[in-house]
């Protein structure tokens, strides 16, 4: 039994290390970018920096209910950053609010991540039924983080173009 | 003991599914792009598509020795795509060769991945010593794939800008 726990802990560490690395790269990039740079499109005709940051924060915020950590903290921004494309809504949060949305959503996840035991990570997330989970045990909480790590890296590659 | 193996298999499946998803997205994107599109910069003043594809393939190729699968198949292209930036070398492979480099490097990895047992994935990779591995057991073969998945996603986000 102890061996199982050790192995789980190791994989949880590997997956969370990968997540934290992408979060840290992103936070560092955002700190280095001015508000003006964040208002630019990452490439001609593509999303603006502020939209992508809001999108990533909204995806984080949605992870709270998905991982059974509680309700979203910023449900009012899902519409703008998840359901709508950039420029579809005229009113967006301010850049300061979007920066805070990112950092707050990361901190909130981090707090909850720290509260889980290794075995908790292998429990089902809230969008898979108990019945399906028996057949598809990979649809667990850790797998959500693995998927979101790729999503974050994908957009970080784009946000990086805002640098001079 | 059986439980350990089952758990390991699950973890390996999760990490390899994430890798395969990024590989498949990338291959699908490349199939949809013309040779002319691949010659474009992904954003003004940034890497050309052909360079990024060669870079991703060269990173795959380097995983062969890193994961103890054997020697690189295309060592002659490491210089252009890993040690040099885009446009630093005048002579690059043709676009057909770069497309083949990508697909061949993915197939080669896939073949070797399929030959590993779940426990093999938790063995050390070749750039960590046996001594260090005792203290840092997360530096295993699966962790290499987890890291490379993020790297691939990062550049896929950029390559996607080649689409009209």
């Amino acid at each position: 039994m102890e061996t199982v726990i050790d192995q789980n802990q190791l994989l949880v560490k590997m997956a969370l290390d990968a997540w934290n690395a992408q979060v840290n790269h992103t936070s560092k990039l955002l700190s280095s970018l001015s508000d003006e740079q964040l208002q630019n499109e990452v490439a001609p005709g593509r999303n603006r920096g502020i939209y992508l940051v809001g999108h990533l924060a909204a995806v984080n915020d949605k992870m709270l209910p998905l991982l059974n950590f509680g309700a979203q903290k910023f449900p009012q921004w899902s519409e703008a950053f998840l359901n709508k494309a950039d420029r579809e809504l005229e009113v967006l949060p301010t850049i300061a609010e979007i920066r805070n949305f990112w950092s707050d959503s990361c901190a909130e996840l981090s707090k909850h991540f720290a509260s889980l035991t290794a075995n908790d990570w292998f429990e089902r997330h809230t969008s898979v039924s108990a019945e399906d989970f028996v057949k598809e045990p990979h649809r667990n909480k850790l797998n959500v983080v693995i998927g979101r790590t790729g999503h974050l890296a994908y957009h970080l590659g784009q946000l990086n173009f805002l640098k001079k």
Side-chain angles (χ1 to χ4, degrees), chain A:
Chain A
M1 190 61 191
E2 200 174 337
T3 315
V4 179
I5 292 170
D6 286 349
Q7 200 73 55
N8 283 2
Q9 281 177 335
L10 187 64
L11 195 95
V12 168
K13 175 185 167 47
M14 287 156 59
L16 294 186
D17 280 356
W19 167 258
N20 287 326
Q22 298 295 339
V23 167
N24 291 340
H25 288 316
T26 304
S27 294
K28 194 173 168 189
L29 173 65
L30 296 184
S31 299
S32 77
L33 294 172
S34 67
D35 287 354
E36 291 65 35
Q37 286 174 305
L38 276 175
Q39 292 188 76
N40 292 332
E41 295 173 333
V42 295
R46 306 293 176 172
N47 289 316
R48 288 173 297 171
I50 49 170
Y51 178 83
L52 284 180
V53 177
H55 174 70
L56 291 170
V59 167
N60 285 352
D61 196 42
K62 275 276 189 183
M63 271 200 270
L64 295 175
L66 185 60
L67 299 178
N68 211 20
F69 293 154
Q72 286 179 260
K73 281 188 72 180
F74 302 90
Q76 71 276 21
W77 291 344
S78 290
E79 181 66 10
F81 294 117
L82 294 176
N83 302 337
K84 298 287 186 187
D86 192 10
R87 301 180 194 282
E88 281 192 347
L89 287 184
E90 283 184 17
V91 180
L92 284 181
T94 65
I95 296 181
E97 284 173 319
I98 293 176
R99 287 182 184 275
N100 179 64
F101 187 19
W102 166 255
S103 54
D104 189 284
S105 69
C106 293
E108 188 74 13
L109 285 176
S110 181
K111 187 185 75 183
H112 287 288
F113 287 1
S115 75
L116 295 192
T117 67
N119 283 333
D120 290 340
W121 281 106
F122 293 90
E123 291 174 357
R124 69 186 167 99
H125 56 71
T126 61
S127 71
V128 59
S129 70
E131 195 176 34
D132 287 345
F133 189 59
V134 173
K135 291 170 285 181
E136 302 175 304
H138 62 279
R139 298 177 68 184
N140 53 49
K141 293 180 179 180
L142 194 62
N143 210 33
V144 170
V145 175
I146 291 173
R148 294 300 184 277
T149 301
H151 177 256
L152 176 52
Y154 180 95
H155 289 303
L156 176 59
Q158 301 173 334
L159 283 168
N160 223 15
F161 289 160
L162 293 172
K163 287 197 295 193
K164 289 266 187 292

